[in-house]
Amino acid sequence: DPSVHGETDAFRDAGRQLSYSNIIMVTTLAPCWYCSGLIRQFKIKTVIVGESVNFSGGVEWLKQNGVKKGDRVAGFLPNMPETVISMLATASLGAVWTSCSPDFGVQGVLDRFGQVKPKIFICVDGYYYNGKEFDCLEKNQKIVSQLPTVENTLLVRFVNNSSEFLDLNQSFFFDEIINESTNPDLEF
């Protein structure tokens, strides 16, 4: 049976129970669509997702680009794992994290980020809302062009794995710097 894997196999081997609501599911990766259905069906309230290796979240890249205690890193990102990863990497260096959602207008972003003068700008190529795709590449370009303190830009490819920058200097891609990471432990 090709559906017998991880969480599903555990359910089949567990025997019949009146309720799974007090069960904690622990998995090394985010549950697939099938296992997610089991989580809903059996009303499992707690799912712990963890990896089998430490993941530094690009802290080495931040260090290589001069980020140190007291510097500011700005995230123009939706609620996604890369946002939390970037925030934790920033905090581990003693730097200040600030963020806003990519549905902000350019002036709203400039009003917020202009106050803190970020050294690094981490942005997303686009996002989805209500079933529609919204491109952010032009917004990113307008924002960076008006934030003179930004030394480097890091793009998270979310809606298009081949997204490229629109004439941004000192630009890097999140997926590329993460793949190069040496995975040291984060220290706070």
Side-chain angles (χ1 to χ4, degrees):
D1 182 353
S3 71
V4 176
H5 66 282
E7 297 88 348
T8 358
D9 192 41
F11 278 109
R12 289 182 179 169
D13 291 341
R16 298 208 175 261
Q17 296 185 33
L18 293 176
S19 171
Y20 286 88
S21 64
N22 292 324
I23 298 294
I24 297 174
M25 179 185 286
V26 180
T27 179
T28 57
L29 299 171
C32 69
W33 66 269
Y34 186 73
C35 295
S36 296
L38 290 173
I39 293 166
R40 291 189 64 170
Q41 178 183 350
F42 292 112
K43 297 178 176 68
I44 296 173
K45 295 176 184 171
T46 306
V47 179
I48 298 172
V49 179
E51 296 293 333
S52 61
V53 296
N54 290 330
F55 177 62
S56 66
V59 72
E60 288 301 314
W61 183 86
L62 290 173
K63 285 181 186 177
Q64 290 168 3
N65 286 279
V67 176
K68 58 189 179 315
K69 185 175 183 175
D71 286 337
R72 277 87 49 213
V73 175
F76 185 51
L77 302 162
N79 291 330
M80 61 191 309
E82 291 85 348
T83 305
V84 176
I85 289 165
S86 298
M87 182 273 302
L88 290 171
T90 300
S92 76
L93 296 174
V96 177
W97 172 258
T98 184
S99 68
C100 61
S101 172
D103 62 351
F104 274 43
V106 171
Q107 192 57 52
V109 176
L110 291 170
D111 289 346
R112 177 173 287 190
F113 292 166
Q115 295 176 38
V116 298
K117 299 177 174 67
K119 185 177 216 174
I120 303 291
F121 181 67
I122 304 175
C123 54
V124 71
D125 62 347
Y127 64 97
Y128 299 99
Y129 178 74
N130 202 20
K132 296 178 186 172
E133 182 180 306
F134 293 86
D135 183 86
C136 292
L137 294 174
E138 287 185 37
K139 264 191 199 182
N140 294 335
Q141 183 180 19
K142 289 177 183 177
I143 293 164
V144 171
S145 71
Q146 295 182 58
L147 290 174
T149 58
V150 172
E151 296 176 11
N152 290 302
T153 302
L154 187 59
L155 179 71
V156 177
R157 293 171 174 152
F158 181 55
V159 299
N160 183 348
N161 286 336
S162 60
S163 287
E164 295 292 333
F165 286 101
L166 298 174
D167 300 323
L168 295 178
N169 291 330
Q170 298 294 77
S171 307
F172 301 88
F173 297 104
F174 192 92
D175 56 324
E176 291 174 4
I177 67 115
I178 293 304
N179 289 335
E180 295 171 2
S181 180
T182 57
N183 293 327
D185 289 338
L186 289 180
E187 294 182 22
F188 292 90

